[in-house]
Amino acid sequence: MSGTNGSVAAITPNDEYEILCDGDNTFLRRYNTEDGTTVLVDTELDGTTSYAPTGPVMRCDVEQTSVANPQLYATIQRQTGAGNVTVVAGARSVTLIVYAGSPTVAIGGSTPVTLAAGTSLSWSVDHGGDSGEELQDGFVFGGVVGSDFLVTTTREV
């Protein structure tokens, strides 16, 4: 019908999942919301075998301690034309934005992969400090004639 508009809302079940821990065990918790009521269902990681927590339930990463306010330092480097930007292993984050050309990226000594203009890539970790989380691989971004790209990194001091 011409000139009519509107919307239809259908009430459907909504399932959300979270992996939790209860001491030494890891399990899957499904939050099922239907008709305004939320029902919790705990299963083993296979998603079907019932599971009953045996200790205090918490997010698995709660046990990881990290420095409350670790100091980070950042770098930024723009490469135009031929040349390499090398990021050694141990960064907390690496981001690449390709403005022009067809630069390459090699991760951890792998075969370089050609990237197209407009590509944006990021690698990062959540926890540093005492947890010691960092990117284990180094990166080599290779510029060729006509390349224009930007690489930013963060590292824990």
Side-chain angles (χ1 to χ4, degrees):
M1 293 190 300
S2 178
T4 55
N5 64 24
S7 63
V8 175
I11 298 175
T12 58
N14 179 20
D15 288 337
E16 301 287 332
Y17 297 87
E18 185 171 18
I19 295 176
L20 298 172
C21 292
D22 66 350
D24 294 330
N25 300 311
T26 304
F27 65 97
L28 184 66
R29 176 166 283 172
R30 182 179 73 220
Y31 302 87
N32 176 280
T33 304
E34 188 172 356
D35 298 328
T37 304
T38 300
V39 176
L40 305 179
V41 178
D42 294 333
T43 65
E44 292 185 12
L45 294 177
D46 65 9
T48 57
T49 306
S50 293
Y51 181 80
T54 58
V57 174
M58 66 185 84
R59 290 186 52 187
C60 298
D61 61 356
V62 168
E63 296 175 26
Q64 297 178 358
T65 58
S66 59
V67 173
N69 293 305
Q71 289 188 329
L72 300 177
Y73 71 89
T75 64
I76 186 167
Q77 184 172 344
R78 188 165 189 170
Q79 177 65 42
T80 55
N84 289 336
V85 174
T86 301
V87 178
V88 297
R92 289 277 299 271
S93 69
V94 176
T95 299
L96 165 75
I97 300 171
V98 179
Y99 298 114
S102 300
T104 61
V105 61
I107 303 172
S110 66
T111 303
V113 173
T114 302
L115 305 169
T119 299
S120 175
L121 300 171
S122 273
W123 300 264
S124 65
V125 296
D126 283 339
H127 300 283
D130 294 340
S131 298
E133 218 174 73
E134 59 187 31
L135 296 170
Q136 71 178 11
D137 293 318
F139 298 77
V140 177
F141 300 97
V144 295
V145 174
S147 292
D148 185 4
F149 61 92
L150 187 71
V151 176
T152 61
T153 67
T154 60
R155 287 183 184 277
E156 197 164 323
V157 176

